[in-house]
Amino acid sequence: MFLKFFAVACAPVLVASATAENGKDFRHLLLAGGGLEVCSSFASDKCDDVDWIDKETMRTDRYLNISKKFRSKATSEAVWPSYREETRKKVVDALALIHDRINEDIVPERVFLREFTRRATQQLYNSLSDAEWNRIIDLLELPVPDAVREVVNLDESLKGESKAIFQRFLKMAQTVSESKQKPTIYFLTSASRNPYDAIDFYSSVFEQLGANAHWLPLDSAVVKAQRENRCDELAEVQQEVLGTYERDRVHRERYKEQVEFCKDTAAAAEMISSADGLFFNGGDQNLTRSTFLKPNNEPSDILKMIIANVQQKEIVVGGTSAGTAVMTSKPMISNGTTAQAIKEGAIASEPPPFGCHLDTTCPPNVGPDSLTYHPLGGLSLFHFATLDTHFSERGRHGRLLRLAAATSTPLSIGIDEKTALAVNLETGAFDVHGERGVFFVENAQSTDSAVAGTFHYLVAGASGVISPFGLQTAEFAESDDVVQTQPTTNFLTDRGLIDSMRILCGERNQVSLLNKSYRLVAQRGESSRVQAAGGECQIVNGSIGIAYQPEEKL
């Protein structure tokens, strides 16, 4: 039954080679798939050399105070719900145990995490939801010294793909900067539960690349504070909206800056009007969505201004991870795994908090792995397709196929980590940058326990043209760069499909994989085109199907 459904759903679509046309060089959007990692004082493991890091003047870690005073605050009954009382008491004991073992009041977060995940407290750690763990860290965290910042060193990065993607965005911003020596880039941290942690990172990245970089302090907590005239109570609003605690104590100067921004209702428009580029960070796309869309789903005046400026080529926009997913005007994906999506389907619902099954905070009829989406889309800057990120690395092909089929979305796009898609919104012209590839899904169809469709996969260096109905033209890349990861056949949570698909560029025309109770078939047909690049197999007009078949004895 699955093979019959697979054959019908994967009818081929002809795609011609791309040709260069005038006007396609401009790119309005840069959509990165996440995983943009560069060397910094806070991420020394991403550095080729660390001798340049000065612990006295640079931020190298988050520090926690685990003295009795701070432990009592982090485990107070006032901040823990009564139904988690037993867990709260266990945390009290665990923190005391860790303090006695370390015999220090001030510890780096990474040391605290190492100690909490030892055998004596490992089970407790695994039982905490994301919200509960974050609450503990927030309330133990020491204030960040005003003069100590995270510093990026792009030249010492172990890999250059992330730097190249940021450089591509800077080049795009220069095209609208009206011959200014330095383009002006504003970045948002609206997708983060802690809006202050990534400020120094993005400032340092864009400044090193030669831009005038500024933080745009707009997020969903600010929007609510402005609406309710509570800018002076921003810390309380952050706790309500973002689930963050005492950011006014930990990030004093940045907090004051955001409060002043909150009180100046004209500030955001002034910043955007002076920007050549606007960059959205990763995290939670729903937080960014609620920053720019009202509860009735009407776009805010700021979003209308951004859309107009993009259309008039007065500003370019980039994003990574959640900052990419939120760009779509099609159904916006917000949560879910391939396994649960194939088995359960897609649910138009608010996404569940991470680890919600541990503290009973999941929305009704939604589990921690459920595929959830917003049917009315995100910021509507990208009108071609639904967007997904961290794509091949997390085996998200099945969840994207399921959502595309459930919502009758003609084209859906998944972007791998350390990879970006630069797009012209007028012509649909695009090019792929970075380390890995971009997955295009067309004509997705589904049954209760299976999904299938036509797919294309292009790697960095490829280019082409898309429309809202699919891939129109494609030029393959001729890259020699090989992805340096151990091959796998796990297609539910890893690169199993992409790794196994390499054989389609050889004599084989089909790959069949089994993972737990799931079966995947990918194949090329008479209308397919394939070309190897850097150890990967690029393909146009391939067919894919994934089915949940628990009756099979694997």
Side-chain angles (χ1 to χ4, degrees), residues 154-407:
L154 294 172
D155 294 334
E156 290 295 341
S157 297
L158 287 172
K159 291 189 174 183
E161 292 85 0
S162 296
K163 175 183 176 181
I165 288 172
F166 284 122
Q167 285 176 319
R168 180 68 176 104
F169 182 67
L170 189 74
K171 184 177 179 181
M172 288 167 55
Q174 286 173 329
T175 63
V176 298
S177 64
E178 298 180 351
S179 72
K180 286 187 294 188
Q181 236 180 351
K182 288 185 173 185
T184 298
I185 292 177
Y186 277 88
F187 59 87
L188 292 98
T189 57
S190 54
S192 299
R193 64 170 296 275
N194 183 346
Y196 310 119
D197 262 355
I199 297 173
D200 296 337
F201 173 82
Y202 284 110
S203 292
S204 193
V205 165
F206 289 125
E207 286 171 359
Q208 280 194 34
L209 291 175
N212 293 313
H214 307 280
W215 176 43
L216 202 169
L218 186 64
D219 59 34
S220 54
V222 168
V223 170
K224 181 176 181 180
Q226 289 176 332
R227 185 172 63 242
E228 298 177 359
N229 195 27
R230 296 172 62 194
C231 290
D232 285 323
E233 304 169 16
L234 183 59
E236 288 76 13
V237 179
Q238 289 174 336
Q239 184 174 326
E240 297 166 10
V241 176
L242 305 176
T244 57
Y245 292 76
E246 299 187 355
R247 298 302 86 190
D248 53 336
R249 175 182 62 81
V250 176
H251 297 273
R252 291 168 296 200
E253 292 304 313
R254 293 297 192 188
Y255 176 80
K256 291 178 183 176
E257 180 182 350
Q258 195 170 34
V259 169
E260 291 307 309
F261 172 87
C262 181
K263 293 178 178 179
D264 184 356
T265 55
E270 292 173 1
M271 291 178 178
I272 291 167
S273 65
S274 66
D276 302 309
L278 195 62
F279 195 87
F280 290 80
N281 76 319
D284 182 348
Q285 53 263 47
N286 283 276
L287 292 177
T288 293
R289 188 184 190 281
S290 61
T291 301
F292 291 94
L293 284 106
K294 300 175 184 178
N296 64 357
N297 292 302
E298 181 185 341
S300 67
D301 292 340
I302 293 299
L303 178 55
K304 292 176 183 177
M305 178 181 182
I306 293 171
I307 293 173
N309 286 4
V310 169
Q311 291 173 342
Q312 295 163 16
K313 297 183 180 180
E314 294 176 357
I315 192 172
V316 295
V317 173
T320 181
S321 188
T324 286
V326 77
M327 296 293 176
T328 185
S329 64
K330 306 298 184 182
M332 186 191 81
I333 200 164
S334 58
N335 188 70
T337 63
T338 281
Q340 198 66 18
I342 302 299
K343 186 163 57 174
E344 182 182 69
I347 305 170
S349 166
E350 289 296 313
F354 188 78
C356 65
H357 60 299
L358 299 171
D359 62 357
T360 64
T361 57
C362 297
N365 304 315
V366 174
D369 295 330
S370 295
L371 168 56
T372 59
Y373 69 98
H374 201 293
L376 298 180
L379 304 188
S380 296
L381 283 162
F382 184 76
H383 63 278
F384 294 104
T386 287
L387 294 164
D388 205 352
T389 58
H390 299 279
F391 197 66
S392 296
E393 293 76 12
R394 300 185 186 178
R396 289 177 166 175
H397 308 82
R399 82 169 190 176
L400 190 62
L401 278 159
R402 174 62 87 182
L403 181 60
T407 59

Side-chain angles (χ1 to χ4, degrees), residues 68-194:
K68 186 174 182 179
K69 175 183 176 182
F70 278 75
R71 298 200 314 265
S72 298
K73 183 171 59 173
T75 57
S76 166
E77 293 180 8
V79 296
W80 283 77
S82 58
Y83 63 86
R84 294 288 279 175
E85 177 62 14
E86 290 304 311
T87 300
R88 184 191 70 81
K89 290 177 179 178
K90 291 178 182 179
V91 173
V92 171
D93 294 339
L95 295 182
L97 175 65
I98 291 170
H99 181 268
D100 291 344
R101 194 159 57 206
I102 298 175
N103 199 28
E104 295 282 349
D105 286 347
I106 309 302
V107 296
E109 182 186 16
R110 65 192 69 184
V111 173
F112 179 75
L113 176 61
R114 183 191 68 204
E115 294 298 318
F116 211 117
T117 52
R118 286 193 177 188
R119 180 176 297 179
T121 49
Q122 175 77 56
Q123 186 174 358
L124 173 61
Y125 175 80
N126 291 337
S127 73
L128 295 173
S129 70
D130 206 40
E132 289 170 332
W133 177 256
N134 288 332
R135 182 193 308 142
I136 294 169
I137 298 298
D138 282 357
L139 293 172
L140 293 177
E141 189 174 2
L142 283 173
V144 177
D146 297 334
V148 177
R149 305 291 190 195
E150 177 182 4
V151 178
V152 167
N153 190 331
L154 294 172
D155 294 334
E156 290 295 341
S157 297
L158 287 172
K159 291 189 174 183
E161 292 85 0
S162 296
K163 175 183 176 181
I165 288 172
F166 284 122
Q167 285 176 319
R168 180 68 176 104
F169 182 67
L170 189 74
K171 184 177 179 181
M172 288 167 55
Q174 286 173 329
T175 63
V176 298
S177 64
E178 298 180 351
S179 72
K180 286 187 294 188
Q181 236 180 351
K182 288 185 173 185
T184 298
I185 292 177
Y186 277 88
F187 59 87
L188 292 98
T189 57
S190 54
S192 299
R193 64 170 296 275
N194 183 346

Side-chain angles (χ1 to χ4, degrees), residues 469-500:
F469 301 100
L471 181 67
Q472 302 301 301
T473 64
E475 284 283 357
F476 286 135
E478 298 182 357
S479 171
D480 294 325
D481 295 332
V482 178
V483 176
Q484 300 293 330
T485 57
Q486 190 70 25
T488 177
T489 58
N490 175 8
F491 62 85
L492 291 177
T493 58
D494 209 335
R495 284 175 47 89
L497 169 61
I498 301 303
D499 288 346
S500 303

Side-chain angles (χ1 to χ4, degrees), residues 435-495:
E435 182 184 54
R436 303 185 180 181
V438 177
F439 194 89
F440 303 81
V441 171
E442 298 176 27
N443 190 35
Q445 299 180 41
S446 64
T447 66
D448 288 344
S449 59
V451 294
T454 298
F455 80 95
H456 322 286
Y457 186 67
L458 303 174
V459 302
S463 60
V465 176
I466 53 174
S467 79
F469 301 100
L471 181 67
Q472 302 301 301
T473 64
E475 284 283 357
F476 286 135
E478 298 182 357
S479 171
D480 294 325
D481 295 332
V482 178
V483 176
Q484 300 293 330
T485 57
Q486 190 70 25
T488 177
T489 58
N490 175 8
F491 62 85
L492 291 177
T493 58
D494 209 335
R495 284 175 47 89

